[in-house]
Amino acid sequence: MDWIIFGLVVAWLGIVSWFDIRRNEIPHSAWVVIPLIGAAVYRILQGDWILVLLAGVVAAVSERNRISQAFGWEELNRIITWLPLLFLGVFLSIQSSPLSALAIIGFWVAWELKWWGGADAVSAITVCLIWPGMFFIISFLAIHIIVVIASGLVSMVREQKIKLHRLPGLPILLASVLLLKVGIIFLS
């Protein structure tokens, strides 16, 4: 079953990565929302509904503008209104899966601060729901360190100075998943 899930995730991330590289966006939010729902169902079936609760709260806070408009209540558009629910989700999930809970919050904060695109954040949360724990976080950080060093070296060679690059996040996430699987194979 693990190989089937891995294959589905790699195929999905491969497709959205292609869009991210070519157009710097995905064609529709369903490309990330449907896998998020699938990952949530999978995580619930694995018995870890608390992490799904946190992901759901983060998704609701991200969509606070639409929720506010739908209910006609302007107060729902403020992030401070959602903080008690967000803290509750973090408090509950950090007890069962601390690294994954912090990662989900980190991915959401990166999107809120406009460091990441929405598809990048939702995709990272999706992968975090599928493979919660230290292995995904380590592979995610390792790939990002490799990308930062490589892009820094490229700019140093080409432009004789180090500068920050804006790179598509989904291919980097795909590389993280591939490294995750390689790491799991070698550690087993």
Side-chain angles (χ1 to χ4, degrees):
M1 179 72 167
D2 191 42
W3 280 100
I4 294 171
I5 292 171
F6 174 73
L8 290 171
V9 170
V10 167
W12 162 62
L13 284 174
I15 293 168
V16 293
S17 293
W18 183 78
F19 285 119
D20 198 16
I21 291 169
R22 292 200 40 149
R23 299 188 183 139
N24 220 15
E25 65 182 1
I26 59 171
H28 194 275
S29 61
W31 280 96
V32 292
V33 172
I34 292 171
L36 177 64
I37 293 168
V41 169
Y42 174 74
R43 182 62 23 219
I44 289 170
L45 292 174
Q46 297 297 314
D48 192 5
W49 63 270
I50 295 175
L51 205 54
V52 174
L53 173 70
L54 177 62
V57 169
V58 164
V61 175
S62 296
E63 294 298 322
R64 63 188 177 276
N65 187 28
R66 290 182 190 177
I67 293 171
S68 171
Q69 290 174 354
F71 286 103
W73 189 15
E74 186 61 34
E75 187 65 27
L76 290 176
N77 197 23
R78 298 178 186 199
I79 202 164
I80 197 160
T81 305
W82 295 89
L83 283 181
L85 193 56
L86 194 59
F87 282 131
L88 178 64
V90 170
F91 176 75
L92 292 173
S93 62
I94 210 161
Q95 294 176 30
S96 67
S97 195
L99 281 176
S100 297
L102 292 174
I104 288 172
I105 292 297
F107 300 147
W108 170 68
V109 167
W111 178 75
E112 285 288 332
L113 294 175
K114 308 284 189 243
W115 295 344
W116 276 12
D120 300 334
V122 173
S123 298
I125 291 170
T126 301
V127 174
C128 200
L129 285 177
I130 295 170
W131 291 292
M134 186 173 60
F135 289 122
F136 169 65
I137 305 302
I138 288 172
S139 68
F140 181 83
L141 292 174
I143 290 297
H144 277 76
I145 289 169
I146 291 167
V147 167
V148 165
I149 290 170
S151 63
L153 289 173
V154 166
S155 67
M156 189 126 140
V157 168
R158 286 185 182 168
E159 302 171 22
Q160 304 300 323
K161 65 179 178 178
I162 296 177
K163 69 178 209 175
L164 295 175
H165 296 273
R166 187 163 174 99
L167 300 171
L170 292 171
I172 297 170
L173 185 60
L174 173 60
S176 299
V177 168
L178 294 172
L179 180 64
L180 167 74
K181 195 60 172 179
V182 168
I184 289 173
I185 289 171
F186 279 117
L187 293 175
S188 317

